Amino acid sequence: MPRRLSAPYDPARLAGIRFVTWVGFWVNLVLCAFKVAAGILGNSRAVTADGIHSLSDLLTDIIILVGVRFWPAPPDEDHPHGHRRLESLISLIVGLLLGLAGLGIAWDAVEGLFSPREPAGSLLALIAAVLSVTSKEWLFRWTLKRGRDLGSEAVEANAWGHRSDAISSLPIVPAVALSWWLPSWGFLDLVGAILVALFILHAAWKICATAADTLLDKGADEQTCAALVAIVREVPGVCGVHELRTRFLGKEIQVHMHVGVDPAITVAQAEEIANAVEAGLYADSTEQRLGVGVCDVLVHVDPWRGDGTASEGC
């Protein structure tokens, strides 16, 4: 049976990933330009920092648009497992860029707390902060839903980048407002920038941890493995399952397992059982039961021994 691993990505899925990312790109471009300009003209470090955060989101959009041209490539001689992990690598890069942006914003804000300050905040900066919250929260919800529908780890990671931008803008609104109305409270603008940095660093950690787990061959959880075994045991002729191993390739899992069959059957009959196991794991109903798709299955057939050591048939 041909492995699903070698099948090309659905063109409609790839088109969907590109469309979602392009929408995010243009929204981030407009927001970045507006917030940086408003932050500079309105003398608000918090809003300027938030604009830089949008710049990091803009860079991640570009990374995904470039990466989506390569990770759907089928397996080749040098990459027999395909190129799906490039999506996880891109997610890791997204997280690292977010982390660097957060550290830079925090450093600038802390430094500003110990430097002479000019009056901070303005109506223009306040408008920019409110616009950022509303637009990025909408973009997060829409991108996350589309990322889950498309089964794209990179798109979901990018969605959380939008959410971090939306959340980080929340404390900026009261900080900029108070700094504008009460100039003596101008330090709140810098406190808001520090809160922005903390939100960004938290989002970066979550994205990097998830991507690193995939790149380090983290297997499926115990519940998913138990469901896999239950599905395989439903195949007629399968007497037992052992040496189950899983690992993620992008948003899907690769499954290696040994199945026990009656030692009295022929090799051809054993092959039919193995093919039925593969077909069962590739079925759409299996993805619904597991909550994750299976992209590759390798089945090794063993003569089943009832106690694990002696041939006794089924």
Side-chain angles (χ1 to χ4, degrees):
M1 173 177 290
R3 297 182 181 182
R4 182 177 291 188
L5 185 66
S6 60
Y9 270 57
D10 180 4
R13 177 172 177 262
L14 295 178
I17 292 173
R18 292 190 183 98
F19 175 72
V20 172
T21 308
W22 273 116
V23 170
F25 173 86
W26 289 112
V27 171
N28 282 324
L29 181 63
V30 172
L31 276 178
C32 175
F34 181 57
K35 287 193 289 187
V36 169
I40 293 173
L41 295 175
N43 192 31
S44 172
R45 290 199 188 190
V47 173
T48 304
D50 209 26
I52 295 172
H53 186 192
S54 292
L55 177 60
S56 71
D57 286 345
L58 189 67
L59 293 175
T60 62
D61 290 332
I62 295 173
I63 290 172
I64 292 175
L65 288 170
V66 173
V68 77
R69 297 173 57 90
F70 299 100
W71 79 58
D76 53 37
E77 186 175 347
D78 294 326
H79 306 90
H81 294 285
H83 302 77
R84 292 174 184 245
R85 287 204 172 164
L86 181 58
E87 186 172 7
S88 298
L89 180 60
I90 287 172
S91 297
L92 182 63
I93 294 173
V94 168
L96 291 174
L97 285 175
L98 281 174
L100 289 174
L103 290 173
I105 291 170
W107 177 267
D108 181 71
V110 171
E111 187 179 44
L113 285 172
F114 299 97
S115 303
R117 295 188 302 273
E118 299 177 3
S122 70
L123 178 60
L124 179 62
L126 182 60
I127 291 173
V130 173
L131 180 63
S132 177
V133 172
T134 54
S135 60
K136 292 309 292 278
E137 179 63 20
W138 169 83
L139 190 60
F140 159 72
R141 292 171 183 258
W142 180 73
T143 303
L144 185 65
K145 182 180 183 304
R146 294 292 294 144
R148 287 172 175 170
D149 292 342
L150 294 166
S152 173
E153 180 183 8
V155 171
E156 287 189 41
N158 207 19
W160 284 105
H162 299 321
R163 163 52 71 85
S164 70
D165 211 359
I167 293 178
S168 67
S169 296
L170 279 175
I172 293 177
V173 175
V176 172
L178 285 171
S179 298
W180 174 41
W181 292 329
L182 302 171
S184 61
W185 287 48
F187 69 92
L188 287 179
D189 182 72
L190 296 173
V191 173
I194 293 174
L195 289 175
V196 169
L198 293 177
F199 282 123
I200 293 173
L201 290 172
H202 177 68
W205 170 259
K206 288 178 62 177
I207 292 171
C208 288
T210 300
D213 281 343
T214 301
L215 293 172
L216 293 173
D217 281 341
K218 180 180 180 179
D221 58 44
E222 186 176 345
Q223 183 178 357
T224 301
C225 289
L228 277 170
V229 172
I231 291 168
V232 174
R233 289 299 301 268
E234 293 172 2
V235 176
V238 173
C239 303
V241 181
H242 61 115
E243 295 190 35
L244 172 65
R245 292 184 296 168
T246 62
R247 65 176 180 175
F248 281 89
L249 292 177
K251 293 288 287 184
E252 298 180 308
I253 56 174
Q254 186 179 51
V255 180
H256 291 181
M257 66 173 60
H258 288 228
V259 299
V261 300
D262 190 330
I265 65 175
T266 65
V267 172
Q269 290 172 318
E271 183 184 18
E272 289 179 3
I273 294 172
N275 288 340
V277 169
E278 291 187 24
L281 292 178
Y282 288 146
D284 292 337
S285 58
T286 295
E287 182 173 354
Q288 294 172 0
R289 290 174 64 178
L290 297 178
V292 64
V294 177
C295 65
D296 184 39
V297 179
L298 179 62
V299 179
H300 180 85
V301 178
D302 291 330
W304 180 247
R305 305 170 188 274
D307 61 356
T309 58
S311 295
E312 295 181 359
C314 291

